[in-house]
Amino acid sequence: MLRYTINRILLMIPTLIGVAVLVFFMLRIVPGDIVEVKLRGDGGNITQEVVEQERKRLGLDRPLLIQFKDYMIGLAKLDLGISMWTERPVIEEIAIRLELSLEVAILATIIAILLAVPLGTAAALMRDTWVDYAVRIITIGGLSIPSFWFGMLIMLTLLSLFNWLPPIVFTPIYVDPVANLTQLIWPAMAVGYRYCAVTARMIRSSLLEIMSEDYIRTARAKGVYEKLVVSRHALRNAMLPAITVIGLEFAFLIGGLVVTEQVFNLNGIGQLFVQSVSRNDFMLIQGMVMMIAVFYVFVNLIVDLLYAVFDPRIRYG
Amino acid sequence: MAVISAPASAAVAPRRRGPVMEFIYKQPLGAVSLVVILIMMFAGIFSELVAPYDPLTIDFASILAAPSWDHWMGTDAYGRDIFSRIIHGSRTALVIGFAASFIGSTLGAMLGVASAFFGGKIDDWIQRFVDVLLAFPIIVLALVVVAALRKTVVAGVDVNLVFAISIPILPRVARVVRAAALSVRVMPYVDAARAAGYSNSRIIFRHMAPNVVAPYLIMFTAFIAQAILLEASLSFLGLGVTEPTAAWGLMLSGNAADFYREAPWMILFPGIAISLAVFAFNLFGDSLRDYLDPRFRV
């Protein structure tokens, strides 16, 4: 187990280097950088001289390979560099927004699991009845309704029913848990719907597959209560593929947050990413992409290790 | 075999249907979604004829008008007719959705087939590349490409946007097509073709490609839904299609959000349009999968 874990961690390194190389060069293939965006924003006449000066100050005038070498050395020391826009360390920019986004992500996961398990199970057990069809429509809806529009609908409902508008300032959970939850539960619902839909579909299909296995027939034949057949024998095994989906969707939740944070005016990771893209802040984009990729490979690892915990047949040598 | 099946087929005498009728018969939900898609395509192609107003005409006399007989879905903050903008928006969504999904799926399928066919080192390298691209959520990868490219509009289509949306599709298709192609590669007829001394490209295009067409078509339709959703998201963020073009995501961004209370129709109808379009393509993709490849059906 330990050897397998160490091996897996070592295997992440090439993927992460690949991500770093790809993003670095992709951003720089086409000419155009932050200096234009920054100075154009100020308006007025900008001479070529000023542009060159700013480029030099930000180190953008150096040869590409030198910039690349510095960036990779920085990464090796876990230094993500300095934001080209705010000129604060990238790590710091991310850190101050991480708490909010992570909380929304965790809330969304809880909502998704609480809804997906009963929905998926009910659909599988009552296959081809109206329950199954209703769940199918709800889940395809979750895959089709854009999370940001769902968020807008939630806001519209709250506004017309309770005259509630999203607060401008974020309240951390340790300051006032109630205010914090009333603020973050809505964006969590908006991103959680899709999450729930994906998970419920996976639970339904894997449960259906398992219910036709021999050991389920054996359990029924020896007179085990149907309730126990489902909960002890079937559901436990159906959880494996569900865990994969829950894990991967959690790692990718940042994707939903990118748009939803905009709707609820939350200053989190998603909004930071959109800002850095519209400002062409290459260092910040690179830093955030690296963070997302690291998060993704680690969640993948945890999912693989959880498999061993849930399925006694799997033992990594 | 022939002896057993002959009387059965004579007795039942299956009516011969074309593939389209067969699909409608076997996949009624898919047929319904196909109708929605065809209506959308009709609206997209003949926007000028279908839409009651010009989508760009600003009318300060009827700003934020509620839905009425004159304006079925009301008007926006510039007095533009929302129904007409949704009709024209279907063109934007379909063109970008089809183009991006086509480019992404086709390049991905080529990569997948090449990976399976050559195997060895080439397979390893392509798979590492695919793994790297898969380490990003779809929208994050699209946004990185948006940041890298300049806005380029050719014949009214945002080429950079199409490209940005097709990149995240590529690795996902490549992985599935590779798996399908791998199972074909060991077939005797591929060995036979190789023994006959055919060139690699001939084997790839004449023998392997036809067998990966089903997964390719399924992925292509499914990713149209994703591409439409992605275009709407990017336009909503202000990083996709820009004003004054009529695009659904764009109609939800900017001032639409400021008029929640006074003009909820501004956010209601474009969102319904996006959801319906994505829903139809998702459902159609699902049904197509069941129809073309019943092995995957649960």
mmCIF file of all heavy atoms in Angstrom, chain B residues 35-65:
data_model
loop_
_atom_site.group_PDB
_atom_site.id
_atom_site.type_symbol
_atom_site.label_atom_id
_atom_site.label_comp_id
_atom_site.label_asym_id
_atom_site.label_seq_id
_atom_site.Cartn_x
_atom_site.Cartn_y
_atom_site.Cartn_z
ATOM 1 N N VAL B 35 -36.749 16.884 -32.903
ATOM 2 C CA VAL B 35 -37.669 17.924 -33.380
ATOM 3 C C VAL B 35 -37.258 19.285 -32.818
ATOM 4 O O VAL B 35 -37.187 20.283 -33.548
ATOM 5 C CB VAL B 35 -39.125 17.584 -32.981
ATOM 6 C CG1 VAL B 35 -40.044 18.755 -33.266
ATOM 7 C CG2 VAL B 35 -39.595 16.351 -33.724
ATOM 8 N N VAL B 36 -36.930 19.318 -31.507
ATOM 9 C CA VAL B 36 -36.485 20.579 -30.896
ATOM 10 C C VAL B 36 -35.248 21.095 -31.617
ATOM 11 O O VAL B 36 -35.134 22.291 -31.935
ATOM 12 C CB VAL B 36 -36.198 20.385 -29.390
ATOM 13 C CG1 VAL B 36 -35.630 21.659 -28.779
ATOM 14 C CG2 VAL B 36 -37.454 19.958 -28.655
ATOM 15 N N ILE B 37 -34.303 20.192 -31.906
ATOM 16 C CA ILE B 37 -33.073 20.590 -32.578
ATOM 17 C C ILE B 37 -33.381 21.141 -33.976
ATOM 18 O O ILE B 37 -32.825 22.173 -34.390
ATOM 19 C CB ILE B 37 -32.097 19.389 -32.661
ATOM 20 C CG1 ILE B 37 -31.611 19.020 -31.259
ATOM 21 C CG2 ILE B 37 -30.919 19.706 -33.564
ATOM 22 C CD1 ILE B 37 -30.836 17.719 -31.195
ATOM 23 N N LEU B 38 -34.296 20.468 -34.686
ATOM 24 C CA LEU B 38 -34.631 20.930 -36.042
ATOM 25 C C LEU B 38 -35.294 22.308 -36.010
ATOM 26 O O LEU B 38 -34.990 23.168 -36.854
ATOM 27 C CB LEU B 38 -35.544 19.910 -36.740
ATOM 28 C CG LEU B 38 -34.847 18.603 -37.121
ATOM 29 C CD1 LEU B 38 -35.832 17.613 -37.724
ATOM 30 C CD2 LEU B 38 -33.700 18.871 -38.099
ATOM 31 N N ILE B 39 -36.171 22.522 -35.006
ATOM 32 C CA ILE B 39 -36.798 23.849 -34.879
ATOM 33 C C ILE B 39 -35.725 24.909 -34.637
ATOM 34 O O ILE B 39 -35.717 25.975 -35.251
ATOM 35 C CB ILE B 39 -37.832 23.857 -33.725
ATOM 36 C CG1 ILE B 39 -39.017 22.958 -34.094
ATOM 37 C CG2 ILE B 39 -38.307 25.271 -33.424
ATOM 38 C CD1 ILE B 39 -40.015 22.764 -32.974
ATOM 39 N N MET B 40 -34.773 24.568 -33.744
ATOM 40 C CA MET B 40 -33.676 25.505 -33.466
ATOM 41 C C MET B 40 -32.876 25.809 -34.722
ATOM 42 O O MET B 40 -32.501 26.952 -34.986
ATOM 43 C CB MET B 40 -32.734 24.868 -32.446
ATOM 44 C CG MET B 40 -32.809 25.436 -31.075
ATOM 45 S SD MET B 40 -31.590 24.573 -30.080
ATOM 46 C CE MET B 40 -30.075 25.314 -30.674
ATOM 47 N N MET B 41 -32.595 24.740 -35.498
ATOM 48 C CA MET B 41 -31.798 24.934 -36.707
ATOM 49 C C MET B 41 -32.553 25.806 -37.701
ATOM 50 O O MET B 41 -31.989 26.688 -38.336
ATOM 51 C CB MET B 41 -31.447 23.582 -37.330
ATOM 52 C CG MET B 41 -30.383 22.845 -36.533
ATOM 53 S SD MET B 41 -30.181 21.145 -37.050
ATOM 54 C CE MET B 41 -29.071 21.352 -38.399
ATOM 55 N N PHE B 42 -33.872 25.564 -37.804
ATOM 56 C CA PHE B 42 -34.694 26.372 -38.697
ATOM 57 C C PHE B 42 -34.630 27.841 -38.270
ATOM 58 O O PHE B 42 -34.382 28.732 -39.083
ATOM 59 C CB PHE B 42 -36.140 25.862 -38.658
ATOM 60 C CG PHE B 42 -37.061 26.599 -39.571
ATOM 61 C CD1 PHE B 42 -37.105 26.296 -40.929
ATOM 62 C CD2 PHE B 42 -37.875 27.605 -39.082
ATOM 63 C CE1 PHE B 42 -37.947 26.981 -41.769
ATOM 64 C CE2 PHE B 42 -38.721 28.303 -39.925
ATOM 65 C CZ PHE B 42 -38.759 27.987 -41.274
ATOM 66 N N ALA B 43 -34.804 28.073 -36.958
ATOM 67 C CA ALA B 43 -34.751 29.444 -36.443
ATOM 68 C C ALA B 43 -33.382 30.057 -36.683
ATOM 69 O O ALA B 43 -33.257 31.255 -36.975
ATOM 70 C CB ALA B 43 -35.087 29.454 -34.951
ATOM 71 N N GLY B 44 -32.344 29.236 -36.557
ATOM 72 C CA GLY B 44 -30.994 29.750 -36.737
ATOM 73 C C GLY B 44 -30.704 30.106 -38.187
ATOM 74 O O GLY B 44 -30.078 31.126 -38.479
ATOM 75 N N ILE B 45 -31.176 29.262 -39.105
ATOM 76 C CA ILE B 45 -30.875 29.501 -40.523
ATOM 77 C C ILE B 45 -31.717 30.652 -41.078
ATOM 78 O O ILE B 45 -31.215 31.518 -41.786
ATOM 79 C CB ILE B 45 -31.126 28.211 -41.337
ATOM 80 C CG1 ILE B 45 -30.138 27.130 -40.900
ATOM 81 C CG2 ILE B 45 -30.968 28.477 -42.833
ATOM 82 C CD1 ILE B 45 -30.440 25.740 -41.435
ATOM 83 N N PHE B 46 -33.006 30.668 -40.722
ATOM 84 C CA PHE B 46 -33.892 31.691 -41.285
ATOM 85 C C PHE B 46 -34.235 32.780 -40.266
ATOM 86 O O PHE B 46 -35.350 33.290 -40.248
ATOM 87 C CB PHE B 46 -35.175 31.041 -41.818
ATOM 88 C CG PHE B 46 -34.904 29.995 -42.858
ATOM 89 C CD1 PHE B 46 -35.053 28.646 -42.566
ATOM 90 C CD2 PHE B 46 -34.483 30.358 -44.138
ATOM 91 C CE1 PHE B 46 -34.785 27.678 -43.524
ATOM 92 C CE2 PHE B 46 -34.213 29.389 -45.090
ATOM 93 C CZ PHE B 46 -34.369 28.043 -44.791
ATOM 94 N N SER B 47 -33.251 33.125 -39.407
ATOM 95 C CA SER B 47 -33.502 34.103 -38.345
ATOM 96 C C SER B 47 -34.195 35.357 -38.861
ATOM 97 O O SER B 47 -35.156 35.848 -38.271
ATOM 98 C CB SER B 47 -32.196 34.511 -37.681
ATOM 99 O OG SER B 47 -31.491 33.388 -37.263
ATOM 100 N N GLU B 48 -33.706 35.885 -39.988
ATOM 101 C CA GLU B 48 -34.232 37.160 -40.502
ATOM 102 C C GLU B 48 -35.709 37.050 -40.834
ATOM 103 O O GLU B 48 -36.450 38.026 -40.711
ATOM 104 C CB GLU B 48 -33.456 37.605 -41.755
ATOM 105 C CG GLU B 48 -32.076 38.173 -41.465
ATOM 106 C CD GLU B 48 -31.032 37.090 -41.223
ATOM 107 O OE1 GLU B 48 -31.360 35.894 -41.417
ATOM 108 O OE2 GLU B 48 -29.906 37.426 -40.827
ATOM 109 N N LEU B 49 -36.136 35.861 -41.289
ATOM 110 C CA LEU B 49 -37.536 35.686 -41.690
ATOM 111 C C LEU B 49 -38.417 35.385 -40.478
ATOM 112 O O LEU B 49 -39.574 35.800 -40.415
ATOM 113 C CB LEU B 49 -37.654 34.536 -42.703
ATOM 114 C CG LEU B 49 -36.841 34.717 -43.983
ATOM 115 C CD1 LEU B 49 -36.905 33.466 -44.843
ATOM 116 C CD2 LEU B 49 -37.355 35.924 -44.761
ATOM 117 N N VAL B 50 -37.868 34.657 -39.509
ATOM 118 C CA VAL B 50 -38.676 34.210 -38.367
ATOM 119 C C VAL B 50 -38.843 35.331 -37.344
ATOM 120 O O VAL B 50 -39.928 35.537 -36.802
ATOM 121 C CB VAL B 50 -38.031 32.975 -37.706
ATOM 122 C CG1 VAL B 50 -38.853 32.504 -36.523
ATOM 123 C CG2 VAL B 50 -37.875 31.849 -38.718
ATOM 124 N N ALA B 51 -37.746 36.067 -37.090
ATOM 125 C CA ALA B 51 -37.785 37.069 -36.024
ATOM 126 C C ALA B 51 -38.680 38.244 -36.425
ATOM 127 O O ALA B 51 -38.558 38.768 -37.532
ATOM 128 C CB ALA B 51 -36.372 37.551 -35.724
ATOM 129 N N PRO B 52 -39.588 38.662 -35.520
ATOM 130 C CA PRO B 52 -40.484 39.778 -35.848
ATOM 131 C C PRO B 52 -39.755 41.125 -35.914
ATOM 132 O O PRO B 52 -40.216 42.040 -36.607
ATOM 133 C CB PRO B 52 -41.507 39.748 -34.717
ATOM 134 C CG PRO B 52 -40.864 38.987 -33.608
ATOM 135 C CD PRO B 52 -39.925 38.024 -34.250
ATOM 136 N N TYR B 53 -38.650 41.289 -35.197
ATOM 137 C CA TYR B 53 -37.927 42.561 -35.187
ATOM 138 C C TYR B 53 -36.472 42.335 -35.546
ATOM 139 O O TYR B 53 -35.982 41.210 -35.515
ATOM 140 C CB TYR B 53 -37.979 43.212 -33.801
ATOM 141 C CG TYR B 53 -39.358 43.623 -33.354
ATOM 142 C CD1 TYR B 53 -40.178 42.718 -32.689
ATOM 143 C CD2 TYR B 53 -39.830 44.908 -33.578
ATOM 144 C CE1 TYR B 53 -41.440 43.079 -32.267
ATOM 145 C CE2 TYR B 53 -41.092 45.283 -33.166
ATOM 146 C CZ TYR B 53 -41.891 44.363 -32.509
ATOM 147 O OH TYR B 53 -43.138 44.732 -32.099
ATOM 148 N N ASP B 54 -35.782 43.439 -35.827
ATOM 149 C CA ASP B 54 -34.340 43.348 -36.000
ATOM 150 C C ASP B 54 -33.723 43.235 -34.605
ATOM 151 O O ASP B 54 -34.107 43.974 -33.695
ATOM 152 C CB ASP B 54 -33.827 44.602 -36.717
ATOM 153 C CG ASP B 54 -32.339 44.523 -36.941
ATOM 154 O OD1 ASP B 54 -31.931 43.994 -37.984
ATOM 155 O OD2 ASP B 54 -31.578 44.967 -36.049
ATOM 156 N N PRO B 55 -32.778 42.303 -34.403
ATOM 157 C CA PRO B 55 -32.280 42.085 -33.040
ATOM 158 C C PRO B 55 -31.411 43.226 -32.528
ATOM 159 O O PRO B 55 -31.122 43.295 -31.337
ATOM 160 C CB PRO B 55 -31.460 40.797 -33.184
ATOM 161 C CG PRO B 55 -31.048 40.770 -34.605
ATOM 162 C CD PRO B 55 -32.169 41.393 -35.378
ATOM 163 N N LEU B 56 -30.980 44.090 -33.424
ATOM 164 C CA LEU B 56 -30.046 45.138 -33.008
ATOM 165 C C LEU B 56 -30.714 46.507 -32.897
ATOM 166 O O LEU B 56 -30.113 47.447 -32.391
ATOM 167 C CB LEU B 56 -28.874 45.220 -33.995
ATOM 168 C CG LEU B 56 -28.130 43.911 -34.260
ATOM 169 C CD1 LEU B 56 -27.010 44.124 -35.250
ATOM 170 C CD2 LEU B 56 -27.579 43.339 -32.959
ATOM 171 N N THR B 57 -31.942 46.629 -33.388
ATOM 172 C CA THR B 57 -32.581 47.940 -33.393
ATOM 173 C C THR B 57 -32.900 48.400 -31.976
ATOM 174 O O THR B 57 -33.594 47.716 -31.219
ATOM 175 C CB THR B 57 -33.890 47.895 -34.209
ATOM 176 O OG1 THR B 57 -33.573 47.415 -35.499
ATOM 177 C CG2 THR B 57 -34.498 49.274 -34.305
ATOM 178 N N ILE B 58 -32.362 49.552 -31.644
ATOM 179 C CA ILE B 58 -32.586 50.118 -30.314
ATOM 180 C C ILE B 58 -33.845 50.979 -30.371
ATOM 181 O O ILE B 58 -34.017 51.774 -31.295
ATOM 182 C CB ILE B 58 -31.356 50.941 -29.881
ATOM 183 C CG1 ILE B 58 -30.184 49.971 -29.652
ATOM 184 C CG2 ILE B 58 -31.653 51.752 -28.634
ATOM 185 C CD1 ILE B 58 -28.871 50.635 -29.419
ATOM 186 N N ASP B 59 -34.747 50.773 -29.396
ATOM 187 C CA ASP B 59 -36.006 51.499 -29.400
ATOM 188 C C ASP B 59 -36.220 52.080 -28.008
ATOM 189 O O ASP B 59 -36.695 51.406 -27.102
ATOM 190 C CB ASP B 59 -37.142 50.532 -29.783
ATOM 191 C CG ASP B 59 -38.495 51.234 -29.763
ATOM 192 O OD1 ASP B 59 -38.516 52.474 -29.594
ATOM 193 O OD2 ASP B 59 -39.518 50.538 -29.912
ATOM 194 N N PHE B 60 -35.868 53.359 -27.873
ATOM 195 C CA PHE B 60 -35.939 53.952 -26.536
ATOM 196 C C PHE B 60 -37.371 54.195 -26.079
ATOM 197 O O PHE B 60 -37.620 54.478 -24.929
ATOM 198 C CB PHE B 60 -35.135 55.260 -26.501
ATOM 199 C CG PHE B 60 -33.656 55.009 -26.503
ATOM 200 C CD1 PHE B 60 -32.861 55.406 -27.570
ATOM 201 C CD2 PHE B 60 -33.064 54.356 -25.434
ATOM 202 C CE1 PHE B 60 -31.505 55.146 -27.566
ATOM 203 C CE2 PHE B 60 -31.702 54.099 -25.427
ATOM 204 C CZ PHE B 60 -30.918 54.498 -26.494
ATOM 205 N N ALA B 61 -38.316 54.057 -27.005
ATOM 206 C CA ALA B 61 -39.720 54.256 -26.633
ATOM 207 C C ALA B 61 -40.245 53.064 -25.838
ATOM 208 O O ALA B 61 -41.198 53.195 -25.090
ATOM 209 C CB ALA B 61 -40.566 54.481 -27.888
ATOM 210 N N SER B 62 -39.631 51.899 -26.021
ATOM 211 C CA SER B 62 -40.160 50.730 -25.300
ATOM 212 C C SER B 62 -39.046 50.009 -24.564
ATOM 213 O O SER B 62 -38.732 48.864 -24.837
ATOM 214 C CB SER B 62 -40.857 49.787 -26.277
ATOM 215 O OG SER B 62 -39.965 49.436 -27.310
ATOM 216 N N ILE B 63 -38.433 50.716 -23.618
ATOM 217 C CA ILE B 63 -37.376 50.105 -22.812
ATOM 218 C C ILE B 63 -37.988 49.242 -21.713
ATOM 219 O O ILE B 63 -38.962 49.652 -21.077
ATOM 220 C CB ILE B 63 -36.481 51.205 -22.196
ATOM 221 C CG1 ILE B 63 -35.601 51.797 -23.309
ATOM 222 C CG2 ILE B 63 -35.640 50.679 -21.060
ATOM 223 C CD1 ILE B 63 -34.797 52.980 -22.881
ATOM 224 N N LEU B 64 -37.443 48.037 -21.529
ATOM 225 C CA LEU B 64 -37.875 47.133 -20.472
ATOM 226 C C LEU B 64 -39.382 46.880 -20.494
ATOM 227 O O LEU B 64 -40.023 46.802 -19.445
ATOM 228 C CB LEU B 64 -37.476 47.655 -19.089
ATOM 229 C CG LEU B 64 -35.974 47.799 -18.805
ATOM 230 C CD1 LEU B 64 -35.771 48.330 -17.405
ATOM 231 C CD2 LEU B 64 -35.282 46.459 -18.961
ATOM 232 N N ALA B 65 -39.935 46.752 -21.715
ATOM 233 C CA ALA B 65 -41.372 46.483 -21.819
ATOM 234 C C ALA B 65 -41.643 45.042 -21.414
ATOM 235 O O ALA B 65 -40.888 44.142 -21.777
ATOM 236 C CB ALA B 65 -41.840 46.733 -23.249
#
